[in-house]
mmCIF file of all heavy atoms in Angstrom:
data_model
loop_
_atom_site.group_PDB
_atom_site.id
_atom_site.type_symbol
_atom_site.label_atom_id
_atom_site.label_comp_id
_atom_site.label_asym_id
_atom_site.label_seq_id
_atom_site.Cartn_x
_atom_site.Cartn_y
_atom_site.Cartn_z
ATOM 1 N N ARG I 31 7.985 -28.863 -1.796
ATOM 2 C CA ARG I 31 7.589 -27.730 -0.948
ATOM 3 C C ARG I 31 7.598 -26.414 -1.722
ATOM 4 O O ARG I 31 8.154 -25.413 -1.313
ATOM 5 C CB ARG I 31 8.508 -27.630 0.274
ATOM 6 C CG ARG I 31 8.410 -28.837 1.184
ATOM 7 C CD ARG I 31 9.447 -28.734 2.288
ATOM 8 N NE ARG I 31 9.229 -27.520 3.091
ATOM 9 C CZ ARG I 31 8.403 -27.455 4.126
ATOM 10 N NH1 ARG I 31 7.691 -28.504 4.470
ATOM 11 N NH2 ARG I 31 8.280 -26.351 4.800
ATOM 12 N N GLY I 32 6.957 -26.416 -2.875
ATOM 13 C CA GLY I 32 6.796 -25.167 -3.603
ATOM 14 C C GLY I 32 7.913 -24.836 -4.553
ATOM 15 O O GLY I 32 7.978 -23.734 -5.058
ATOM 16 N N ILE I 33 8.824 -25.762 -4.818
ATOM 17 C CA ILE I 33 9.881 -25.502 -5.794
ATOM 18 C C ILE I 33 9.382 -25.885 -7.177
ATOM 19 O O ILE I 33 8.884 -26.986 -7.390
ATOM 20 C CB ILE I 33 11.161 -26.294 -5.455
ATOM 21 C CG1 ILE I 33 11.705 -25.828 -4.097
ATOM 22 C CG2 ILE I 33 12.204 -26.120 -6.534
ATOM 23 C CD1 ILE I 33 12.935 -26.566 -3.676
ATOM 24 N N LEU I 34 9.470 -24.963 -8.100
ATOM 25 C CA LEU I 34 8.963 -25.198 -9.446
ATOM 26 C C LEU I 34 10.009 -25.931 -10.267
ATOM 27 O O LEU I 34 11.187 -25.601 -10.245
ATOM 28 C CB LEU I 34 8.613 -23.859 -10.102
ATOM 29 C CG LEU I 34 7.557 -23.050 -9.349
ATOM 30 C CD1 LEU I 34 7.281 -21.753 -10.076
ATOM 31 C CD2 LEU I 34 6.292 -23.850 -9.184
ATOM 32 N N GLN I 35 9.563 -26.933 -11.026
ATOM 33 C CA GLN I 35 10.468 -27.820 -11.724
ATOM 34 C C GLN I 35 10.499 -27.543 -13.223
ATOM 35 O O GLN I 35 9.492 -27.159 -13.815
ATOM 36 C CB GLN I 35 10.036 -29.274 -11.503
ATOM 37 C CG GLN I 35 10.068 -29.699 -10.031
ATOM 38 C CD GLN I 35 11.472 -29.590 -9.467
ATOM 39 O OE1 GLN I 35 12.410 -30.115 -10.062
ATOM 40 N NE2 GLN I 35 11.624 -28.899 -8.360
ATOM 41 N N PRO I 36 11.641 -27.775 -13.883
ATOM 42 C CA PRO I 36 11.718 -27.589 -15.340
ATOM 43 C C PRO I 36 11.041 -28.728 -16.072
ATOM 44 O O PRO I 36 11.021 -29.866 -15.612
ATOM 45 C CB PRO I 36 13.217 -27.582 -15.609
ATOM 46 C CG PRO I 36 13.802 -28.381 -14.498
ATOM 47 C CD PRO I 36 12.934 -28.131 -13.298
ATOM 48 N N LYS I 37 10.465 -28.412 -17.204
ATOM 49 C CA LYS I 37 9.879 -29.420 -18.079
ATOM 50 C C LYS I 37 10.491 -29.255 -19.459
ATOM 51 O O LYS I 37 10.383 -28.184 -20.058
ATOM 52 C CB LYS I 37 8.355 -29.262 -18.144
ATOM 53 C CG LYS I 37 7.661 -29.533 -16.820
ATOM 54 C CD LYS I 37 6.158 -29.404 -16.963
ATOM 55 C CE LYS I 37 5.470 -29.675 -15.642
ATOM 56 N NZ LYS I 37 3.998 -29.554 -15.756
ATOM 57 N N LEU I 38 11.127 -30.306 -19.956
ATOM 58 C CA LEU I 38 11.824 -30.242 -21.227
ATOM 59 C C LEU I 38 11.100 -31.058 -22.277
ATOM 60 O O LEU I 38 10.572 -32.128 -21.994
ATOM 61 C CB LEU I 38 13.255 -30.771 -21.072
ATOM 62 C CG LEU I 38 14.156 -29.971 -20.125
ATOM 63 C CD1 LEU I 38 15.471 -30.709 -19.959
ATOM 64 C CD2 LEU I 38 14.385 -28.585 -20.658
ATOM 65 N N SER I 39 10.996 -30.517 -23.473
ATOM 66 C CA SER I 39 10.443 -31.236 -24.611
ATOM 67 C C SER I 39 11.481 -31.153 -25.725
ATOM 68 O O SER I 39 11.578 -30.148 -26.424
ATOM 69 C CB SER I 39 9.110 -30.623 -25.053
ATOM 70 O OG SER I 39 8.629 -31.256 -26.212
ATOM 71 N N GLY I 40 12.274 -32.245 -25.878
ATOM 72 C CA GLY I 40 13.403 -32.177 -26.803
ATOM 73 C C GLY I 40 14.389 -31.151 -26.292
ATOM 74 O O GLY I 40 14.853 -31.214 -25.167
ATOM 75 N N ARG I 41 14.695 -30.161 -27.091
ATOM 76 C CA ARG I 41 15.634 -29.107 -26.688
ATOM 77 C C ARG I 41 14.916 -27.847 -26.249
ATOM 78 O O ARG I 41 15.539 -26.832 -25.975
ATOM 79 C CB ARG I 41 16.578 -28.796 -27.857
ATOM 80 C CG ARG I 41 17.413 -29.984 -28.294
ATOM 81 C CD ARG I 41 18.304 -29.615 -29.458
ATOM 82 N NE ARG I 41 19.246 -28.538 -29.085
ATOM 83 C CZ ARG I 41 20.065 -27.962 -29.956
ATOM 84 N NH1 ARG I 41 20.053 -28.353 -31.226
ATOM 85 N NH2 ARG I 41 20.881 -27.010 -29.569
ATOM 86 N N ARG I 42 13.573 -27.892 -26.198
ATOM 87 C CA ARG I 42 12.801 -26.691 -25.878
ATOM 88 C C ARG I 42 12.308 -26.763 -24.438
ATOM 89 O O ARG I 42 11.749 -27.775 -24.009
ATOM 90 C CB ARG I 42 11.611 -26.553 -26.816
ATOM 91 C CG ARG I 42 10.756 -25.303 -26.535
ATOM 92 C CD ARG I 42 9.700 -25.130 -27.609
ATOM 93 N NE ARG I 42 8.819 -24.023 -27.318
ATOM 94 C CZ ARG I 42 9.117 -22.755 -27.493
ATOM 95 N NH1 ARG I 42 10.296 -22.426 -27.954
ATOM 96 N NH2 ARG I 42 8.249 -21.810 -27.213
ATOM 97 N N LEU I 43 12.520 -25.693 -23.692
ATOM 98 C CA LEU I 43 12.040 -25.608 -22.322
ATOM 99 C C LEU I 43 10.580 -25.173 -22.349
ATOM 100 O O LEU I 43 10.249 -24.114 -22.866
ATOM 101 C CB LEU I 43 12.875 -24.592 -21.531
ATOM 102 C CG LEU I 43 12.524 -24.381 -20.061
ATOM 103 C CD1 LEU I 43 12.717 -25.681 -19.300
ATOM 104 C CD2 LEU I 43 13.417 -23.299 -19.466
ATOM 105 N N THR I 44 9.687 -26.001 -21.804
ATOM 106 C CA THR I 44 8.253 -25.708 -21.901
ATOM 107 C C THR I 44 7.611 -25.408 -20.562
ATOM 108 O O THR I 44 6.436 -25.096 -20.507
ATOM 109 C CB THR I 44 7.509 -26.893 -22.534
ATOM 110 O OG1 THR I 44 7.708 -28.051 -21.721
ATOM 111 C CG2 THR I 44 8.009 -27.153 -23.945
ATOM 112 N N GLY I 45 8.350 -25.522 -19.483
ATOM 113 C CA GLY I 45 7.737 -25.283 -18.174
ATOM 114 C C GLY I 45 8.600 -24.397 -17.310
ATOM 115 O O GLY I 45 9.684 -23.974 -17.705
ATOM 116 N N ILE I 46 8.108 -24.124 -16.111
ATOM 117 C CA ILE I 46 8.876 -23.326 -15.158
ATOM 118 C C ILE I 46 10.029 -24.162 -14.649
ATOM 119 O O ILE I 46 9.901 -25.355 -14.446
ATOM 120 C CB ILE I 46 7.977 -22.898 -13.988
ATOM 121 C CG1 ILE I 46 6.872 -21.980 -14.521
ATOM 122 C CG2 ILE I 46 8.749 -22.205 -12.903
ATOM 123 C CD1 ILE I 46 5.925 -21.532 -13.460
ATOM 124 N N GLY I 47 11.175 -23.551 -14.413
ATOM 125 C CA GLY I 47 12.263 -24.402 -13.996
ATOM 126 C C GLY I 47 13.378 -23.718 -13.253
ATOM 127 O O GLY I 47 13.260 -22.584 -12.821
ATOM 128 N N PHE I 48 14.450 -24.495 -13.116
ATOM 129 C CA PHE I 48 15.665 -24.054 -12.484
ATOM 130 C C PHE I 48 15.459 -23.650 -11.035
ATOM 131 O O PHE I 48 16.044 -22.720 -10.541
ATOM 132 C CB PHE I 48 16.320 -22.913 -13.280
ATOM 133 C CG PHE I 48 16.575 -23.281 -14.710
ATOM 134 C CD1 PHE I 48 15.984 -22.566 -15.744
ATOM 135 C CD2 PHE I 48 17.360 -24.374 -15.030
ATOM 136 C CE1 PHE I 48 16.207 -22.926 -17.054
ATOM 137 C CE2 PHE I 48 17.584 -24.730 -16.347
ATOM 138 C CZ PHE I 48 17.001 -24.009 -17.363
ATOM 139 N N GLY I 49 14.560 -24.402 -10.327
ATOM 140 C CA GLY I 49 14.438 -24.243 -8.886
ATOM 141 C C GLY I 49 13.916 -22.912 -8.418
ATOM 142 O O GLY I 49 14.232 -22.469 -7.323
ATOM 143 N N ALA I 50 13.132 -22.228 -9.216
ATOM 144 C CA ALA I 50 12.571 -20.949 -8.777
ATOM 145 C C ALA I 50 11.675 -21.178 -7.566
ATOM 146 O O ALA I 50 10.860 -22.087 -7.552
ATOM 147 C CB ALA I 50 11.754 -20.328 -9.906
#
Side-chain angles (χ1 to χ4, degrees):
R31 296 174 60 86
I33 297 179
L34 301 180
Q35 299 299 309
K37 295 182 180 180
L38 297 174
S39 176
R41 299 179 61 185
R42 180 173 176 77
L43 181 62
T44 60
I46 296 179
F48 305 119

